[in-house]
Amino acid sequence: MSTQDYTDIQNTTEPQNPAEEVTEQTQAEASDISIEALQAQLATLAAGYESAKEQALRAQADAQNARRRAEQDVEKAHKFGLEKMVNDLLPVVDNLERALAAIDTGNEALSAVVEGIQLTHKSFVDALARHQVIAVSPVGEPFDPNLHQAVSAVPNPDVEPNTVINCFQKGYTLHGRLVRPAMVVVSKAP
């Protein structure tokens, strides 16, 4: 007999070891335990994935909101960047209007001056209008505290109470935002 044959016979004739049976049983239990552990680990990973996904969506939404706010800020800066300059130029318009009101239009010698002031005033007002600066002259309209500043209240039975009956100084808006309120006289009940 050869050595090879001897080992083959020995492998086939040896009775099974009880320790091997215990090992196989332990492996089966271990596979059951490892399946439960793997399922628990899978559930933990799934929860972590959902949490990370939610955080990523929130971060994306925050970035989009920040971008939108920045765009709005830039837009407002473009729209209302002229506000200080407009405030500085409005007294010039007021002075031109006062000059037109004070000058004697019946005097022929001053007709050229009157025409020059009128053209200057018109070109000035048109330039302001091109930049969305709109005059607020509310005579005859109801008093609006968002646009008007009441200088005084006068009893007047001819008009309804809280109606603007005189405007001392025009107000102005820039792109719909109030730059200067109109200074007005308001009627009140007698």
Side-chain angles (χ1 to χ4, degrees):
M1 234 197 232
S2 73
T3 321
Q4 175 92 11
D5 293 336
Y6 180 75
T7 52
D8 287 340
I9 293 172
Q10 189 180 20
N11 287 341
T12 56
T13 57
E14 287 183 11
Q16 284 192 344
N17 188 352
E20 286 180 10
E21 287 180 22
V22 170
T23 305
E24 288 176 11
Q25 187 179 25
T26 307
Q27 285 177 349
E29 288 174 1
S31 66
D32 288 342
I33 292 172
S34 65
I35 289 175
E36 290 172 0
L38 288 175
Q39 286 176 344
Q41 188 178 11
L42 180 62
T44 304
L45 290 174
Y49 168 76
E50 288 300 321
S51 174
K53 181 179 172 184
E54 183 178 329
Q55 288 176 349
L57 288 174
R58 285 178 190 248
Q60 186 179 17
D62 286 345
Q64 190 176 22
N65 288 340
R67 190 176 324 114
R68 190 176 330 115
R69 276 192 301 274
E71 288 172 358
Q72 288 173 349
D73 289 346
V74 167
E75 182 181 333
K76 285 180 182 178
H78 286 297
K79 272 185 169 181
F80 303 115
L82 297 175
E83 190 169 355
K84 287 182 181 180
M85 189 175 91
V86 167
N87 274 325
D88 291 341
L89 294 176
L90 291 180
V92 176
V93 175
D94 294 337
N95 291 334
L96 289 171
E97 289 173 353
R98 285 187 200 107
L100 286 172
I103 207 161
D104 182 18
T105 56
N107 189 345
E108 282 295 319
L110 298 176
S111 65
V113 174
V114 170
E115 185 179 347
I117 293 173
Q118 286 174 340
L119 289 174
T120 303
H121 178 263
K122 183 182 180 325
S123 66
F124 209 106
V125 170
D126 289 346
L128 290 174
R130 279 194 301 275
H131 294 283
Q132 302 299 315
V133 179
I134 308 297
V136 176
S137 182
V139 176
E141 296 178 6
F143 177 74
D144 182 1
N146 296 322
L147 298 174
H148 313 139
Q149 180 179 351
V151 177
S152 66
V154 177
N156 191 337
D158 298 336
V159 293
E160 281 188 42
N162 282 343
T163 301
V164 175
I165 55 175
N166 191 7
C167 183
F168 286 129
Q169 186 179 47
K170 289 181 183 177
Y172 289 89
T173 60
L174 173 64
H175 291 282
R177 181 195 280 181
L178 185 66
V179 175
R180 182 178 80 183
M183 299 180 84
V184 299
V185 176
V186 181
S187 66
K188 68 177 182 178

